[in-house]
Amino acid sequence: MLRQQRRYLPWLTAFLILAGFTALVLSWLDHFAWTDDEAVFVLTARAVQRGSRLYDEVWFNYLPGFLQLLNAAFAVGGFSLGTARTAVMCCALLALLLVAGLSRSVSSPWGGVLALLLLATAPHFLALSSAVMTEVPAI
């Protein structure tokens, strides 16, 4: 029985780290940080959503699919900064899961948990996970 409990301990720890990360990012979801970069990303996605071809077909310097990701989020949650930030947070969660899975596969279950903890508490990653930036989806 104790051995089986030890097998689930890394999974439980990883879940708690992800839950804490999500709670932290969501707690800052509506903070006022409407910087130039966030404004450009959100309003460019809005322009593409409204049919502007300039940023979709003519000139495009964003990650492939980033504006489409934001437009899909807007279709589900409505046009808002919070919706765009939530979409980026979901990409950050996916990045955390992939890092944990990769580390687990090359190391051990606890190696995956430690890699997850390291990335989830990295200040720059945490800051970008709550802002509409292309850096987090690129990870």
Side-chain angles (χ1 to χ4, degrees):
M1 179 77 170
L2 185 60
R3 184 179 177 144
Q4 189 174 9
Q5 286 177 343
R6 280 192 215 156
R7 231 178 35 183
Y8 292 112
L9 196 56
W11 289 104
L12 178 63
T13 306
F15 175 78
L16 292 174
I17 292 168
L18 289 173
F21 175 84
T22 302
L24 189 59
V25 172
L26 288 177
S27 70
W28 286 92
L29 197 62
D30 291 325
H31 76 284
F32 183 76
W34 185 256
T35 61
D36 293 337
D37 289 349
E38 272 193 313
V40 169
F41 289 128
V42 172
L43 295 177
T44 300
R46 181 67 165 184
V48 169
Q49 185 183 37
R50 291 185 170 181
S52 173
R53 294 178 45 224
L54 175 63
Y55 297 107
D56 193 27
E57 298 173 14
V58 180
W59 181 73
F60 188 83
N61 66 340
Y62 307 119
L63 292 171
F66 184 66
L67 295 180
Q68 289 74 14
L69 169 73
L70 292 181
N71 284 329
F74 294 153
V76 172
F79 179 72
S80 73
L81 182 59
T83 301
R85 287 178 175 171
T86 301
V88 172
M89 182 201 68
C90 290
C91 291
L93 284 172
L94 179 62
L96 288 171
L97 288 171
L98 292 173
V99 164
L102 178 64
S103 183
R104 180 184 172 92
S105 69
V106 298
S107 177
S108 69
W110 285 109
V113 170
L114 291 176
L116 176 65
L117 182 64
L118 178 67
L119 186 57
T121 58
H124 195 62
F125 183 81
L126 190 59
L128 289 176
S129 298
S130 60
V132 186
M133 301 288 167
T134 60
E135 286 85 353
V136 171
I139 289 175

